């Protein structure tokens, strides 16, 4: 689905969402009448300092003016890999965007990520992975690390990596792998109205807590993470 | 990866009261040694997982020398090896014995 | 009162030990009060990565991170220290989950600060999806802990620097101390060169790497609050200084985020067209900016305290 198709299906009653230079910002009205704040990154745009500050600026301008959920649409490249971005402190700009999203979610503005295209590495951390619920659309193709780069570092052939990827979701790109890990909560259908699926999700939002460890365990993608975190927490709580 | 295991009868119990200690880091040409006081006084076990295949005889000689020299009775050594040279292995084993010989938990 | 002799010996050792070259265990042993570290899920538990054997790679019993509790001048702290020599200090499933669990406990308790000794290249490739997600969970847990009043201090001076998702986690901390060899960035030099060409960034030009990502630039830019010389004792003192400086700073919240936004937006307005770190330092009013990389630590700290920015109430 193109971004326009997605927006039309999400908000059949119309919306005030602009996108230019790969940056999505605006708001829309749900069929229930409530407002939803929308940001995102489109056209496989790299997330650099300029893009990150625009997105966090849009959030901070609106965050204390309304209630209602925040939708984060994601079709990005990786973080922008350039001398200028690193010189200016890209890590702070990406962390800032993630912090604003996490803070909003904790303060009554539930956040939903909608991964509809590509995303990778730092760009995914600062957007979709900083939301409470990350939803995938069919055709989305997240890649924390692409296989050619992995082949280079691990000195394994592409064929060998592809063979290994059949037995574990832990390293290879793809939406279903991220779903098994617990990173993507669910995949929506593109044959049904997205507005209906969004409203169903909003009507049944999980509580404000990170469930990704538990989901990864349930789905068999990350068998150790949740238990290790819980054991460390319990040991640390005994220290007093 | 290759797994190796060596068991030795030793003259006597290693000194100190600590129950375990760890030395070294797993990296290229380096290794970690976890030592635990879990065996009867006259026994010593060394378990090795190594990235360098086919060096069993060298390991056997290095560990034989080590056991003879330090008499590490009651100690189990578990090694994760990133392909260390024999002199590095001997050094880490000696550090491990010294660490567990300290008094404490 | 005269300090006990063992404390003096410990401080002397810490003063003579390079933070950059020390192992994670040595850093913690000398940074904390002597003998105070209690480790959670230590190496004897053998909780190794379940994924490295898929790639026939050696495991490390602590999966490259030590988490625990200790004391700093008698006061309780939680600590996490990454071992940059094992798999480049990279985040995997177990490695990351230990830090997540520690932050969850810190949030619950509220009053015990967390020190994180970063030393990481970012996500561990062999378990990239689990590592990326671990970083996302750590960022979430850290913000939740900070919102509950926990101070989280990052200490950056390891061989692997603080790259990739590690840079994002560092950007979520309450404050950072950094030494000259401590580099902070998202994309590493080789990654930029591979993707954009050697004309964009020559990863073999060490001076370029240092002045673009290194500790001095990060301190002058306001990305780090304190510059530390490269000894474990200097990092101990930096941690104590930051804990004290953060004392009067209020809890994390919307005002802080708005201040951070203004801080970063101003940085873009002022320096967005600068080609090189030297141009930024010159614009900041550093005389003979080109000599900054050669300044000894004490002279650099004096310079940074005079003109360097701080970000304590804006991050």
């Amino acid at each position: 689905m193109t971004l326009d198709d997605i927006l039309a299906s999400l908000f059949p009653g119309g919306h005030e969402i602009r996108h230019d230079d790969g940056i999505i910002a605006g708001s829309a009205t749900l069929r229930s009448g409530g407002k939803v704040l929308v940001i995102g990154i489109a056209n496989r745009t790299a997330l650099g300092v300029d893009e990150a500050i625009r997105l966090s600026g849009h959030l901070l301008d609106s965050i204390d003016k309304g209630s209602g959920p925040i939708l984060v649409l994601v079709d990005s490249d990786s973080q922008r890999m350039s001398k200028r971005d690193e010189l200016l402190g890209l890590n702070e700009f990406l962390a800032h965007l993630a912090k604003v999203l996490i803070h909003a979610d904790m303060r009554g503005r539930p956040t939903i990520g909608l991964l509809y295209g590509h995303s990778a590495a730092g760009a995914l951390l600062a957007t979709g992975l900083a939301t409470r619920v990350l939803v995938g659309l069919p055709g989305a193709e997240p890649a924390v690390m692409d296989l050619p780069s992995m082949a280079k570092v691990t000195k394994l052939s592409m064929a060998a990596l592809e063979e290994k990827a059949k037995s574990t979701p832990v390293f290879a790109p793809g939406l279903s792998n991220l779903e098994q890990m617990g990173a993507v909560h669910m995949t929506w259908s593109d044959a049904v109205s997205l507005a209906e699926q969004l409203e169903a999700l909003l009507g049944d939002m999980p509580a404000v807590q990170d469930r990704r460890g538990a989901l990864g365990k349930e789905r068999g993608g990350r068998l150790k993470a949740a238990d290790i975190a819980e054991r460390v927490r319990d040991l640390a709580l005994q220290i007093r | 990866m290759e797994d190796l295991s060596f068991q030795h009868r030793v003259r006597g119990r290693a000194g100190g009261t600590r129950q375990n200690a760890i030395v070294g880091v797993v990296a290229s040409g380096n290794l970690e040694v976890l030592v635990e006081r879990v065996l009867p006084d006259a026994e010593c076990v060394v378990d090795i997982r190594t990235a360098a295949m086919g060096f069993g005889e060298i390991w056997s000689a290095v560990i034989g020398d080590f056991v003879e020299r330090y008499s590490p009775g009651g100690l189990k050594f578990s090694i994760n090896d990133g392909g260390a040279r024999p002199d590095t292995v001997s050094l880490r084993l000696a550090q491990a014995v010294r660490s567990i010989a300290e008094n404490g938990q | 009162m005269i300090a006990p002799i063992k404390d003096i010996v410990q401080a002397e050792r810490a003063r003579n030990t390079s933070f950059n070259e020390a192992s994670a265990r040595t850093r913690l042993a000398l940074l904390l009060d002597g003998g105070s570290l209690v480790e959670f899920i230590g190496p004897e538990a053998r909780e190794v990565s379940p994924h490295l054997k898929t790639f026939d790679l050696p495991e490390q019993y602590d999966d490259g991170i030590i988490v625990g509790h200790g004391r700093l001048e008698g006061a309780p702290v939680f600590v996490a220290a990454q071992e940059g020599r094992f798999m480049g200090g990279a985040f995997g499933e177990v490695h990351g989950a230990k830090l997540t669990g520690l932050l969850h406990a810190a949030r619950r308790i509220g009053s015990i600060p967390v020190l994180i000794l970063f030393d990481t290249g970012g996500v561990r490739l062999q378990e990239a999806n689990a590592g990326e997600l671990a970083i996302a969970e750590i960022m979430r847990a850290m913000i939740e802990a900070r919102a509950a009043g926990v101070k989280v201090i990052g200490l950056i001076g390891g061989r692997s620097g603080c790259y990739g998702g590690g840079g994002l986690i560092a950007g979520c901390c309450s404050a950072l101390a950094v030494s000259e060899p401590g580099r902070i960035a998202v994309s590493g030099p080789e990654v930029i060169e591979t993707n954009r060409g050697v004309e964009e960034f020559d990863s073999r030009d060490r001076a370029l790497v240092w002045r673009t990502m290194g500790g001095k630039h990060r301190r002058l830019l306001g990305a780090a609050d304190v510059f530390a010389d490269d000894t474990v004792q200097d990092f101990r003192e930096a941690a104590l200084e930051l804990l004290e400086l953060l004392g009067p700073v209020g809890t994390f919240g919307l005002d802080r985020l708005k201040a951070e936004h203004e801080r970063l937006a101003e940085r873009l307005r002022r320096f967005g067209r600068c080609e090189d770190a030297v141009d930024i330092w010159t614009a900041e009013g550093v005389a003979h900016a080109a000599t900054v990389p050669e300044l000894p630590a004490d002279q650099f700290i004096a310079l940074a305290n005079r003109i360097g920015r701080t970000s304590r109430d804006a991050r």
Side-chain angles (χ1 to χ4, degrees):
Chain A
M1 290 173 92
T2 67
L3 178 59
D4 288 337
D5 294 341
I6 290 167
L7 291 177
S9 181
L10 277 169
F11 309 113
H15 58 77
E16 293 154 43
I17 299 164
R18 302 168 311 284
H19 51 105
D20 59 279
D21 296 333
I23 295 298
I24 303 166
S27 63
T29 306
L30 296 164
R31 285 191 303 197
S32 58
K35 276 270 189 190
V36 53
L37 186 60
V38 180
I39 65 156
I41 185 150
N43 304 333
R44 210 169 166 156
T45 302
L47 188 55
V49 293
D50 303 299
E51 291 79 11
I53 202 86
R54 281 183 63 191
L55 292 173
S56 52
H58 181 68
L59 288 170
L60 286 170
D61 282 344
S62 332
I63 212 166
D64 45 2
K65 289 181 189 135
S67 51
I70 298 173
L71 187 63
V72 182
L73 299 163
V74 184
D75 173 22
S76 76
D77 196 353
S78 187
Q79 73 273 5
R80 176 162 292 119
M81 295 168 180
S82 82
K83 178 185 176 187
R84 174 176 175 269
D85 285 270
E86 294 302 345
L87 188 63
L88 292 167
L90 179 60
N91 71 305
E92 292 176 88
F93 288 79
L94 296 184
H96 176 65
L97 177 55
K99 281 189 273 189
V100 173
L101 283 170
I102 294 168
H103 173 81
D105 189 56
M106 291 168 62
R107 291 287 174 272
R109 304 290 307 259
T111 52
I112 297 167
L114 185 56
L115 183 59
Y116 71 95
H118 182 76
S119 190
L124 187 56
L125 286 171
T127 58
L129 287 177
T131 60
R132 189 193 311 182
V133 173
L134 179 57
V135 176
L137 274 186
E141 40 190 18
V144 170
M145 188 54 62
D146 60 288
L147 285 189
S149 301
M150 277 202 63
K152 203 169 155 186
V153 175
T154 58
K155 298 183 177 68
L156 293 168
S157 68
M158 286 288 288
L161 283 176
E162 281 162 10
E163 190 57 37
K164 286 183 195 303
K166 286 179 191 162
S167 61
T168 171
V170 81
F171 70 90
L175 186 62
S176 63
N177 285 337
L178 283 189
E179 187 159 359
Q180 245 186 293
M181 305 306 293
V184 170
H185 290 63
M186 63 188 81
T187 300
W188 282 352
S189 163
D190 50 7
V192 182
S193 143
L194 296 182
E196 274 176 33
Q197 296 177 85
L198 174 61
E199 281 167 33
L201 172 59
L202 286 170
D204 189 26
M205 271 300 269
V208 191
Q209 61 172 35
D210 197 335
R211 291 189 60 242
R212 294 175 290 194
L215 286 178
K217 186 179 171 185
E218 260 169 54
R219 296 170 182 173
R222 285 192 300 159
L223 294 171
K224 293 191 96 163
D227 290 347
I228 294 278
E230 195 177 318
R231 277 168 59 196
V232 169
R233 188 202 61 196
D234 291 348
L235 287 163
L237 288 174
Q238 284 167 27
I239 207 81
R240 280 182 292 177
Chain B
M1 299 298 297
E2 184 173 341
D3 290 319
L4 300 165
S5 184
F6 299 95
Q7 296 175 22
H8 287 265
R9 301 290 298 174
V10 287
R11 297 188 303 274
R13 181 186 178 281
T17 58
R18 282 184 70 170
Q19 287 307 299
N20 60 61
I22 182 109
V23 298
V25 170
V26 182
S28 177
N30 209 335
L31 74 164
E32 71 172 346
V33 179
L34 171 64
V35 53
E36 297 162 292
R37 202 183 296 277
V38 289
L39 298 175
D41 284 357
E43 286 177 30
C44 171
V45 169
V46 183
D47 290 334
I48 299 152
R49 290 206 78 207
T50 175
M53 313 284 279
F55 291 93
E57 284 180 27
I58 294 176
W59 280 104
S60 176
V62 167
I63 285 158
D65 282 354
F66 163 71
V67 170
E68 184 55 35
R69 186 155 168 208
Y70 287 90
S71 180
L75 302 185
K76 177 180 168 185
F77 296 83
S78 303
I79 294 176
N80 284 315
D81 173 44
R85 290 156 45 104
D87 52 348
T88 308
V89 175
S90 296
L91 173 75
R92 290 277 178 258
L93 285 167
Q95 285 174 334
V97 170
R98 271 204 302 278
S99 291
I100 203 166
E102 291 167 8
N103 291 320
Q105 289 299 299
Chain C
M1 204 175 90
I2 296 166
I5 191 86
K6 69 174 174 50
D7 292 353
I8 296 170
V9 171
Q10 161 116 351
E12 191 58 26
R13 270 191 70 203
R15 171 99 34 225
N16 290 322
T17 302
S18 159
F19 187 93
N20 188 246
E21 288 167 25
S23 69
R25 287 187 183 276
T26 300
R27 286 174 191 156
L28 279 185
L30 295 178
L31 187 97
L32 296 169
D33 296 352
S36 69
L37 176 69
V38 177
E39 184 173 359
F40 307 138
I41 313 190
E44 73 288 349
R46 292 176 170 76
E47 284 291 359
V48 298
S49 161
H51 308 297
L52 293 178
K53 60 176 165 299
T54 312
F55 291 85
D56 204 33
L57 287 169
E59 294 146 354
Q60 184 161 297
Y61 289 126
D62 60 14
D63 203 33
I65 191 168
I66 303 152
V67 299
H69 177 273
R71 293 191 175 272
L72 204 59
E73 295 280 317
V77 286
F78 286 126
V79 289
Q82 296 180 293
E83 176 51 67
R85 285 178 296 178
F86 174 66
M87 305 293 298
F91 287 87
E93 177 173 352
V94 172
H95 181 117
K98 285 190 187 177
L99 181 49
T100 305
L102 191 76
L103 290 164
H104 285 162
R107 175 198 194 184
R108 181 84 69 86
I109 294 168
S111 58
I112 300 182
V114 182
L115 305 182
I116 303 176
L117 286 65
F118 289 97
D119 195 351
T120 186
V123 167
R124 188 183 293 169
L125 286 186
Q126 292 80 2
E127 38 190 304
N129 294 333
E132 173 101 343
L133 189 43
I135 289 165
E137 288 167 332
I138 290 164
M139 288 166 66
R140 176 98 197 186
M142 190 178 287
I143 297 309
E144 288 173 349
R146 287 189 58 196
V150 177
K151 298 168 194 163
V152 185
I153 291 172
L155 306 178
I156 299 173
R159 298 162 179 235
S160 293
C162 185
Y163 281 104
L168 271 77
I169 299 173
C172 292
C173 289
S174 319
L176 300 178
V178 65
S179 65
E180 180 152 33
R183 292 136 292 148
I184 310 172
V186 188
S187 310
E190 291 81 10
V191 173
I192 301 176
E193 185 184 315
T194 304
N195 282 277
R196 296 283 291 267
V198 71
E199 306 76 24
E200 171 77 16
F201 204 88
D202 181 354
S203 65
R204 283 162 307 173
D205 183 345
R206 302 322 284 173
L208 171 68
V209 172
W210 249 230
R211 71 177 184 272
T212 306
M213 303 168 172
K216 282 180 173 166
H217 178 52
R218 294 301 180 218
R219 172 65 189 95
L220 288 175
L221 205 57
D225 298 277
V226 168
F227 183 85
D229 201 356
D230 177 36
T231 78
V232 180
Q233 182 68 14
D234 280 284
F235 271 98
R236 176 180 159 96
E237 287 165 12
L240 286 163
E241 182 184 346
L242 283 174
L243 284 173
E244 187 169 326
L245 287 173
L246 289 174
V249 175
T251 296
F252 177 82
L254 187 58
D255 290 344
R256 198 80 75 79
L257 287 170
K258 286 181 170 172
E260 176 170 66
H261 193 84
E262 190 41 48
R263 175 172 74 83
L264 295 176
E266 193 206 350
R267 185 188 295 172
L268 279 190
R269 284 195 296 274
R270 290 200 58 200
F271 308 131
R273 290 172 186 277
C274 289
E275 298 265 327
D276 194 276
V278 175
D279 302 332
I280 294 181
W281 306 338
T282 303
E284 274 288 51
V286 178
H288 314 295
T291 65
V292 163
E294 287 102 65
L295 282 183
D298 55 342
Q299 288 178 35
F300 177 78
I301 290 167
L303 171 74
N305 288 345
R306 202 165 67 244
I307 63 154
R309 287 154 189 269
T310 60
S311 49
R312 287 190 294 280
D313 49 3
R315 62 183 298 143

